[in-house]
Amino acid sequence: MQRLTGIALVPLCLWFVFSVVGLVDADLPTVTSWVGRNYNPVLLILLVICMFQHAQLGLQVVIEDYIYLQSTKVVLLVSVKLGALVMGACSAFAVIRLTFGD
């Protein structure tokens, strides 16, 4: 799964970087308009999902490899999973809010 999210992140990150370069000096209404245009909201939410899933999987591997105390390992794994879920949901909500307005 980590390889799959890594592969998915390559085109999504390239699209994001090349798209955002044109918005460097843009004001908020211009950025809001860009977020809501065409397939940008869908691609942004896919980027957020893949990014947080990839990060969570990477941290999970590190925790499983280097934390030996089982109780600490469980607490850290649950914390990382919940943190990724909450941050991903907040990011997706921000994209939706920018797309559809207040």
Side-chain angles (χ1 to χ4, degrees):
M1 186 58 123
Q2 193 173 14
R3 286 185 182 145
L4 183 63
T5 57
I7 291 168
L9 280 171
V10 171
L12 288 170
C13 286
L14 288 172
W15 162 80
F16 183 72
V17 168
F18 286 120
S19 296
V20 171
V21 165
L23 297 171
V24 170
D25 292 327
D27 56 353
L28 182 60
T30 304
V31 173
T32 304
S33 171
W34 174 82
V35 169
R37 195 173 32 225
N38 299 332
Y39 292 103
N40 290 345
V42 173
L43 291 173
L44 281 170
I45 290 174
L46 283 174
L47 176 67
V48 165
I49 291 169
C50 288
M51 181 180 61
F52 282 112
Q53 177 69 10
H54 187 76
Q56 180 267 317
L57 290 170
L59 287 170
Q60 177 180 336
V61 168
V62 171
I63 291 167
E64 288 171 347
D65 287 348
Y66 294 105
I67 305 297
Y68 299 107
L69 189 60
Q70 191 64 27
S71 60
T72 304
K73 187 184 293 190
V74 170
V75 168
L76 288 174
L77 287 172
V78 169
S79 298
V80 166
K81 286 181 188 286
L82 287 176
L85 180 67
V86 168
M87 289 187 289
C90 288
S91 299
F93 177 73
V95 170
I96 291 168
R97 190 158 180 205
L98 280 173
T99 301
F100 297 113
D102 290 333

